[in-house]
Amino acid sequence: MRLRVEFTTEPFDLDEAPAHALVAREVIEGAQLDAVDVGPFGNTAEGGSEAVLTAVDALLRRALQAGATRISLQVNVVGEGGRQ
């Protein structure tokens, strides 16, 4: 199964990326995912289900430890049977 995760971390800081945002980006960019798109207001990545779920677990744990007070995420099945 192929999944797409979209997420944001808060609080926002328009002047400088906060530590939790940098950690979240590091997790996603270091995971075995493809179609990674990171930006100032939202991030998206796709990959196999195990890789996405492992990355989401690490993302939640590490971003919270780095000071995130809110993490919004959405996971969708893409491709086969779950076309998006």
Side-chain angles (χ1 to χ4, degrees):
M1 179 184 329
R2 186 168 176 79
L3 301 176
R4 175 186 301 128
V5 60
E6 300 173 52
F7 68 92
T8 58
T9 61
E10 297 179 40
F12 294 114
D13 183 340
L14 296 177
D15 295 324
E16 183 177 332
H20 59 79
L22 296 175
V23 164
R25 180 178 300 162
E26 176 184 300
V27 168
I28 290 301
E29 289 178 338
Q32 297 296 317
L33 303 174
D34 47 62
V36 174
D37 182 24
V38 294
F41 300 109
N43 309 282
T44 307
E46 292 184 17
S49 61
E50 286 303 313
V52 170
L53 295 174
T54 298
V56 166
D57 178 64
L59 168 89
L60 292 172
R61 292 174 189 277
R62 292 192 51 206
L64 289 169
Q65 289 172 348
T69 57
R70 179 178 183 157
I71 302 170
S72 301
L73 67 89
Q74 181 173 318
V75 178
N76 293 299
V77 175
V78 294
E80 330 144 15
R83 290 189 174 91
Q84 289 282 322

XYZ file of all heavy atoms in Angstrom:
619
model
N 0.843 -1.177 0.000
C 0.000 0.000 0.000
C 0.891 1.245 0.000
O 1.915 1.285 0.660
C -0.879 -0.026 1.262
C -1.778 1.160 1.376
S -2.767 1.241 2.910
C -3.050 -0.442 3.328
N 0.459 2.230 -0.733
C 1.191 3.500 -0.826
C 0.406 4.570 -0.078
O -0.807 4.675 -0.213
C 1.355 3.875 -2.294
C 2.214 5.072 -2.523
C 2.554 5.182 -4.002
N 3.295 6.389 -4.250
C 4.589 6.539 -4.004
N 5.283 5.550 -3.519
N 5.196 7.686 -4.245
N 1.122 5.373 0.727
C 0.488 6.415 1.534
C 1.079 7.779 1.235
O 2.252 7.892 0.851
C 0.665 6.123 3.028
C 0.122 4.806 3.556
C 0.488 4.644 5.029
C -1.377 4.717 3.363
N 0.259 8.806 1.451
C 0.724 10.197 1.391
C 0.448 10.815 2.756
O -0.642 10.711 3.293
C -0.022 10.992 0.333
C 0.379 12.489 0.353
C -0.449 13.358 -0.579
N -0.338 12.900 -1.946
C -1.381 12.632 -2.725
N -2.612 12.757 -2.289
N -1.193 12.239 -3.966
N 1.453 11.467 3.319
C 1.281 12.193 4.578
C 1.465 13.681 4.298
O 2.353 14.073 3.544
C 2.262 11.708 5.673
C 3.716 11.893 5.273
C 1.976 12.390 7.000
N 0.576 14.467 4.876
C 0.671 15.922 4.826
C 0.681 16.389 6.270
O -0.127 15.917 7.076
C -0.533 16.521 4.099
C -0.674 16.049 2.669
C -1.965 16.533 2.049
O -2.232 17.753 2.114
O -2.703 15.687 1.522
N 1.576 17.315 6.620
C 1.649 17.746 8.012
C 2.153 19.171 8.167
O 2.828 19.709 7.288
C 2.543 16.799 8.826
C 3.996 16.865 8.446
C 4.860 17.725 9.101
C 4.489 16.085 7.426
C 6.196 17.797 8.741
C 5.822 16.140 7.061
C 6.675 17.006 7.726
N 1.811 19.757 9.293
C 2.357 21.040 9.728
C 2.646 20.935 11.217
O 2.019 20.156 11.935
C 1.386 22.215 9.503
O 0.174 21.946 10.203
C 1.091 22.420 8.038
N 3.623 21.712 11.665
C 3.935 21.794 13.090
C 3.756 23.233 13.532
O 3.937 24.165 12.747
C 5.377 21.320 13.395
O 6.296 22.158 12.716
C 5.580 19.871 12.966
N 3.391 23.401 14.775
C 3.190 24.739 15.337
C 3.875 24.813 16.689
O 4.092 23.780 17.320
C 1.687 25.014 15.498
C 0.940 25.027 14.181
C -0.544 25.278 14.368
O -0.905 26.117 15.222
O -1.325 24.634 13.675
N 4.204 25.976 17.171
C 3.812 27.298 16.696
C 4.653 27.758 15.494
O 5.781 27.342 15.313
C 4.057 28.209 17.897
C 5.138 27.531 18.667
C 4.940 26.052 18.432
N 4.046 28.613 14.694
C 4.708 29.182 13.524
C 5.632 30.316 13.952
O 5.387 30.981 14.941
C 3.688 29.766 12.535
C 2.801 28.743 11.903
C 1.444 28.744 12.169
C 3.308 27.794 11.037
C 0.614 27.813 11.579
C 2.490 26.856 10.444
C 1.137 26.866 10.717
N 6.652 30.531 13.171
C 7.527 31.689 13.330
C 7.898 32.111 11.917
O 8.603 31.386 11.223
C 8.770 31.340 14.141
C 9.669 32.537 14.389
O 9.578 33.548 13.649
O 10.480 32.475 15.323
N 7.393 33.242 11.493
C 7.625 33.681 10.120
C 9.030 34.221 9.894
O 9.486 34.316 8.756
C 6.587 34.730 9.720
C 5.148 34.218 9.698
C 4.189 35.365 9.371
C 4.981 33.080 8.705
N 9.741 34.565 10.960
C 11.085 35.113 10.813
C 12.157 34.038 10.708
O 13.146 34.203 10.000
C 11.411 36.044 11.988
C 10.516 37.271 12.001
O 10.174 37.766 10.915
O 10.159 37.722 13.104
N 11.978 32.945 11.442
C 12.992 31.899 11.483
C 12.307 30.558 11.741
O 11.411 30.463 12.577
C 13.963 32.210 12.623
C 15.104 31.259 12.752
C 16.059 31.687 13.853
O 16.158 32.891 14.127
O 16.685 30.805 14.436
N 12.735 29.531 11.039
C 12.135 28.210 11.233
C 12.427 27.722 12.648
O 13.587 27.678 13.065
C 12.687 27.223 10.221
N 11.383 27.374 13.419
C 11.599 26.883 14.774
C 12.234 25.490 14.777
O 12.173 24.761 13.776
C 10.195 26.854 15.385
C 9.241 26.973 14.258
C 9.981 27.515 13.081
N 12.809 25.135 15.909
C 13.507 23.849 16.031
C 12.613 22.676 15.658
O 13.046 21.749 14.971
C 14.054 23.678 17.449
N 11.350 22.702 16.089
C 10.463 21.569 15.792
C 10.210 21.422 14.302
O 10.087 20.302 13.797
C 9.140 21.675 16.561
C 8.359 22.912 16.284
N 7.582 23.076 15.164
C 8.257 24.063 16.983
C 7.015 24.267 15.200
N 7.417 24.893 16.305
N 10.177 22.525 13.568
C 9.981 22.461 12.117
C 11.222 21.893 11.430
O 11.115 21.094 10.498
C 9.657 23.841 11.557
N 12.388 22.273 11.912
C 13.631 21.750 11.342
C 13.768 20.258 11.605
O 14.195 19.493 10.731
C 14.827 22.507 11.915
C 14.879 24.003 11.564
C 16.051 24.665 12.283
C 14.965 24.212 10.061
N 13.392 19.827 12.808
C 13.451 18.410 13.155
C 12.483 17.619 12.288
O 12.829 16.555 11.763
C 13.154 18.205 14.660
C 12.832 16.760 14.974
C 14.329 18.682 15.494
N 11.267 18.129 12.117
C 10.270 17.442 11.283
C 10.781 17.306 9.852
O 10.660 16.237 9.239
C 8.954 18.203 11.317
N 11.359 18.353 9.332
C 11.917 18.315 7.977
C 13.041 17.287 7.889
O 13.121 16.512 6.937
C 12.432 19.698 7.591
C 13.038 19.756 6.197
C 13.493 21.134 5.846
N 12.356 22.052 5.887
C 12.479 23.366 5.956
N 13.661 23.935 5.985
N 11.401 24.129 5.979
N 13.906 17.256 8.896
C 15.015 16.299 8.927
C 14.494 14.856 8.919
O 15.022 14.004 8.212
C 15.849 16.559 10.182
C 16.978 15.586 10.407
C 17.669 15.878 11.723
O 18.201 16.997 11.887
O 17.669 14.989 12.597
N 13.467 14.586 9.708
C 12.889 13.243 9.760
C 12.366 12.835 8.395
O 12.657 11.743 7.895
C 11.763 13.163 10.821
C 10.964 11.865 10.676
C 12.332 13.280 12.226
N 11.575 13.696 7.774
C 10.957 13.360 6.490
C 12.004 13.227 5.387
O 11.953 12.306 4.578
C 9.880 14.407 6.124
C 8.691 14.256 7.061
C 9.440 14.282 4.676
C 8.010 12.901 7.051
N 12.960 14.134 5.354
C 13.984 14.065 4.312
C 14.913 12.866 4.509
O 15.467 12.359 3.548
C 14.777 15.368 4.256
C 13.948 16.512 3.683
C 14.674 17.845 3.645
O 15.644 18.035 4.418
O 14.265 18.695 2.839
N 15.071 12.398 5.741
C 15.940 11.263 6.020
C 15.254 9.913 5.918
O 15.907 8.878 5.959
N 13.941 9.911 5.781
C 13.183 8.657 5.680
C 13.264 8.109 4.261
O 13.622 8.818 3.327
C 11.724 8.910 6.070
N 12.918 6.853 4.125
C 12.913 6.202 2.808
C 11.615 6.512 2.074
O 10.828 5.626 1.764
C 13.087 4.691 2.989
C 14.404 4.295 3.603
C 15.576 4.665 2.703
O 15.523 4.463 1.494
N 16.624 5.197 3.279
N 11.378 7.804 1.831
C 10.158 8.261 1.171
C 10.518 8.928 -0.145
O 11.651 9.337 -0.365
C 9.417 9.261 2.063
C 9.043 8.763 3.455
C 8.439 9.884 4.277
C 8.098 7.587 3.368
N 9.524 9.062 -1.016
C 9.756 9.790 -2.247
C 8.681 10.857 -2.374
O 7.794 10.954 -1.536
C 9.766 8.854 -3.471
C 8.607 7.886 -3.474
O 7.447 8.339 -3.528
O 8.863 6.683 -3.409
N 8.769 11.661 -3.374
C 7.825 12.759 -3.589
C 7.752 13.656 -2.355
O 6.679 14.071 -1.941
C 6.441 12.234 -3.983
N 8.892 13.949 -1.747
C 8.945 14.804 -0.562
C 8.904 16.265 -0.992
O 9.661 16.689 -1.859
C 10.226 14.530 0.255
C 10.372 15.511 1.401
C 10.239 13.097 0.767
N 8.001 17.028 -0.362
C 7.876 18.457 -0.640
C 7.741 19.176 0.700
O 6.736 19.017 1.387
C 6.654 18.722 -1.521
C 6.488 20.188 -1.882
O 7.497 20.929 -1.859
O 5.359 20.596 -2.184
N 8.777 19.915 1.082
C 8.728 20.653 2.345
C 8.607 22.134 2.044
O 9.182 22.640 1.090
C 9.962 20.376 3.233
C 9.980 18.930 3.693
C 11.251 20.713 2.528
N 7.817 22.814 2.852
C 7.602 24.235 2.650
C 7.300 24.920 3.968
O 7.180 24.268 4.998
N 7.161 26.230 3.959
C 6.964 26.975 5.202
C 5.601 26.747 5.855
O 5.452 26.904 7.056
C 7.124 28.431 4.776
C 6.780 28.438 3.317
C 7.217 27.101 2.795
N 4.591 26.346 5.095
C 3.251 26.205 5.660
C 2.687 24.803 5.547
O 1.560 24.557 5.959
C 2.295 27.201 4.999
C 2.738 28.620 5.210
C 3.237 29.361 4.157
C 2.673 29.198 6.468
C 3.664 30.662 4.349
C 3.107 30.501 6.664
C 3.599 31.237 5.611
N 3.430 23.889 4.997
C 2.949 22.521 4.895
C 3.988 21.643 4.232
O 4.858 22.130 3.512
N 3.906 20.360 4.515
C 4.875 19.401 4.022
C 4.132 18.164 3.558
O 3.144 17.760 4.176
C 5.840 19.028 5.141
C 6.433 20.253 5.797
O 7.333 20.865 5.262
N 5.904 20.639 6.942
N 4.635 17.540 2.505
C 4.000 16.359 1.946
C 5.077 15.347 1.582
O 6.154 15.728 1.131
C 3.208 16.720 0.666
O 2.312 17.782 0.961
C 2.419 15.539 0.144
N 4.766 14.074 1.786
C 5.667 13.010 1.355
C 4.835 11.776 1.043
O 3.756 11.581 1.600
C 6.697 12.695 2.430
N 5.347 10.944 0.160
C 4.693 9.694 -0.211
C 5.683 8.562 -0.126
O 6.893 8.765 -0.257
C 4.153 9.756 -1.646
C 3.014 10.693 -1.834
C 2.456 10.656 -3.244
O 2.735 9.680 -3.993
O 1.746 11.597 -3.611
N 5.145 7.364 0.072
C 5.984 6.176 0.096
C 5.182 4.962 0.489
O 3.965 5.029 0.668
N 5.880 3.854 0.641
C 5.237 2.633 1.092
C 4.701 2.812 2.502
O 5.195 3.640 3.270
N 3.696 2.025 2.844
C 3.029 2.218 4.135
C 3.977 2.095 5.318
O 3.918 2.909 6.249
C 1.856 1.252 4.279
O 2.289 -0.091 4.222
N 4.849 1.099 5.327
C 5.759 0.938 6.465
C 6.694 2.134 6.611
O 6.931 2.616 7.716
C 6.564 -0.357 6.350
C 5.757 -1.596 6.654
C 5.123 -1.571 8.058
O 5.820 -1.240 9.034
O 3.931 -1.890 8.161
N 7.215 2.622 5.502
C 8.119 3.768 5.543
C 7.395 5.019 6.026
O 7.919 5.777 6.848
C 8.747 4.003 4.173
N 6.177 5.250 5.539
C 5.416 6.438 5.954
C 5.053 6.342 7.431
O 5.230 7.295 8.186
C 4.156 6.632 5.083
C 3.253 7.699 5.673
C 4.554 7.001 3.659
N 4.552 5.186 7.866
C 4.150 5.050 9.270
C 5.342 5.161 10.217
O 5.241 5.773 11.283
C 3.400 3.731 9.470
C 2.067 3.652 8.725
C 1.470 2.254 8.859
C 1.095 4.717 9.195
N 6.479 4.626 9.826
C 7.693 4.763 10.644
C 8.116 6.225 10.718
O 8.471 6.731 11.781
C 8.827 3.898 10.055
O 8.410 2.531 10.106
C 10.123 4.074 10.820
N 8.053 6.921 9.582
C 8.430 8.338 9.556
C 7.453 9.175 10.387
O 7.876 10.088 11.104
C 8.468 8.847 8.114
N 6.160 8.888 10.320
C 5.172 9.634 11.103
C 5.420 9.442 12.595
O 5.361 10.402 13.366
C 3.729 9.224 10.709
C 2.714 9.721 11.725
C 3.399 9.763 9.325
N 5.715 8.223 13.013
C 6.022 7.965 14.425
C 7.218 8.811 14.875
O 7.160 9.496 15.897
C 6.306 6.480 14.633
C 6.681 6.166 16.064
O 5.829 6.357 16.965
O 7.824 5.733 16.294
N 8.290 8.785 14.100
C 9.484 9.559 14.440
C 9.197 11.057 14.407
O 9.655 11.812 15.271
C 10.623 9.212 13.487
N 8.433 11.482 13.407
C 8.078 12.890 13.277
C 7.335 13.380 14.516
O 7.671 14.424 15.083
C 7.212 13.081 12.032
C 6.538 14.433 11.911
C 7.454 15.382 11.190
C 5.224 14.329 11.203
N 6.319 12.656 14.939
C 5.540 13.057 16.117
C 6.418 13.129 17.360
O 6.409 14.118 18.097
C 4.376 12.090 16.338
C 3.274 12.116 15.281
C 2.298 10.968 15.516
C 2.552 13.449 15.279
N 7.163 12.089 17.596
C 8.000 12.029 18.805
C 9.059 13.133 18.826
O 9.226 13.839 19.816
C 8.668 10.658 18.921
C 7.683 9.544 19.189
C 8.383 8.175 19.150
N 7.424 7.101 19.191
C 6.879 6.621 20.307
N 7.207 7.140 21.473
N 6.017 5.631 20.255
N 9.781 13.274 17.727
C 10.898 14.224 17.704
C 10.437 15.676 17.653
O 11.038 16.539 18.294
C 11.836 13.897 16.550
C 12.542 12.545 16.809
C 13.687 12.255 15.906
N 14.632 13.356 15.859
C 15.429 13.588 14.818
N 15.387 12.817 13.758
N 16.261 14.604 14.833
N 9.374 15.965 16.904
C 8.881 17.345 16.832
C 8.318 17.794 18.187
O 8.545 18.929 18.611
C 7.836 17.483 15.737
N 7.608 16.918 18.874
C 7.105 17.266 20.207
C 8.256 17.503 21.177
O 8.239 18.458 21.957
C 6.163 16.178 20.722
C 4.812 16.102 20.007
C 4.080 14.825 20.398
C 3.964 17.334 20.299
N 9.261 16.658 21.119
C 10.433 16.835 21.983
C 11.167 18.138 21.676
O 11.804 18.716 22.549
C 11.399 15.653 21.835
C 10.872 14.374 22.437
C 11.755 13.179 22.117
O 12.646 13.246 21.259
N 11.489 12.069 22.769
N 11.069 18.606 20.438
C 11.765 19.829 20.021
C 10.914 21.082 20.221
O 11.304 22.164 19.807
C 12.189 19.716 18.557
N 9.730 20.937 20.847
C 8.950 22.118 21.192
C 7.662 22.351 20.437
O 6.996 23.362 20.658
N 7.272 21.439 19.551
C 5.990 21.613 18.864
C 4.863 21.542 19.890
O 4.893 20.714 20.802
C 5.795 20.535 17.802
N 3.898 22.436 19.757
C 2.740 22.416 20.642
C 1.511 21.873 19.924
O 0.501 21.582 20.566
C 2.419 23.828 21.176
O 2.203 24.701 20.062
C 3.566 24.346 22.031
N 1.624 21.730 18.614
C 0.539 21.163 17.818
C 1.123 20.610 16.529
O 1.952 21.260 15.884
C -0.496 22.234 17.491
C -1.639 21.733 16.659
C -2.629 22.842 16.416
N -3.763 22.317 15.671
C -4.947 22.875 15.673
N -5.169 23.980 16.368
N -5.916 22.363 14.982
N 0.681 19.428 16.165
C 1.078 18.821 14.897
C -0.207 18.367 14.215
O -0.959 17.573 14.770
C 2.024 17.624 15.096
C 3.272 18.055 15.861
C 2.386 17.011 13.738
C 4.148 16.916 16.324
N -0.452 18.912 13.046
C -1.620 18.516 12.270
C -1.139 17.629 11.144
O -0.204 17.991 10.427
C -2.323 19.741 11.692
O -2.718 20.610 12.728
N -1.774 16.468 11.006
C -1.367 15.613 9.899
C -2.550 14.865 9.329
O -3.571 14.669 9.982
C -0.236 14.670 10.284
C -0.474 13.557 11.287
C -0.940 12.302 10.596
C 0.832 13.291 12.011
N -2.368 14.493 8.101
C -3.370 13.734 7.374
C -2.632 12.657 6.605
O -1.605 12.921 5.985
C -4.105 14.660 6.412
C -5.184 13.971 5.622
C -5.984 14.983 4.816
O -6.312 16.042 5.296
N -6.261 14.642 3.587
N -3.138 11.438 6.657
C -2.547 10.319 5.924
C -3.617 9.782 4.986
O -4.729 9.492 5.411
C -2.051 9.218 6.885
C -1.497 8.046 6.103
C -1.009 9.771 7.850
N -3.259 9.657 3.714
C -4.186 9.141 2.700
C -3.554 7.964 1.971
O -2.342 7.961 1.730
C -4.498 10.210 1.643
C -5.270 11.358 2.217
O -6.367 11.198 2.720
N -4.675 12.536 2.150
N -4.387 7.008 1.613
C -3.967 5.930 0.739
C -3.998 6.479 -0.681
O -4.971 7.127 -1.074
C -4.910 4.711 0.858
C -4.529 3.629 -0.144
C -4.919 4.173 2.277
N -2.927 6.275 -1.422
C -2.858 6.758 -2.798
C -2.584 5.578 -3.734
O -2.049 4.559 -3.317
C -1.773 7.843 -2.994
C -2.150 9.095 -2.221
C -0.414 7.359 -2.565
N -2.929 5.773 -4.979
C -2.713 4.711 -5.948
C -3.698 3.578 -5.769
O -4.761 3.734 -5.196
N -3.319 2.397 -6.183
C -4.141 1.198 -6.139
C -5.281 1.268 -5.139
O -5.085 1.522 -3.995
C -3.287 -0.016 -5.734
C -1.876 0.024 -6.127
C -0.969 -0.606 -5.073
O -1.414 -1.311 -4.186
O 0.219 -0.352 -5.188
N -6.472 1.096 -5.537
C -7.617 0.991 -4.672
C -7.948 2.234 -3.868
O -9.048 2.404 -3.402
N -7.014 3.139 -3.631
C -7.266 4.336 -2.859
C -6.896 5.564 -3.652
O -6.295 6.470 -3.151
N -7.224 5.550 -4.922
C -6.813 6.627 -5.837
C -7.125 8.001 -5.278
O -8.200 8.234 -4.798
C -7.487 6.448 -7.179
C -6.941 5.267 -7.922
C -7.444 5.226 -9.340
N -6.787 4.159 -10.039
C -7.252 2.925 -10.107
N -8.375 2.605 -9.517
N -6.582 2.011 -10.764
N -6.150 8.887 -5.375
C -6.298 10.272 -4.930
C -5.981 11.187 -6.077
O -5.165 10.932 -6.873
C -5.351 10.570 -3.777
C -5.737 9.891 -2.508
C -6.874 10.577 -1.805
O -6.961 11.795 -1.792
N -7.776 9.814 -1.272
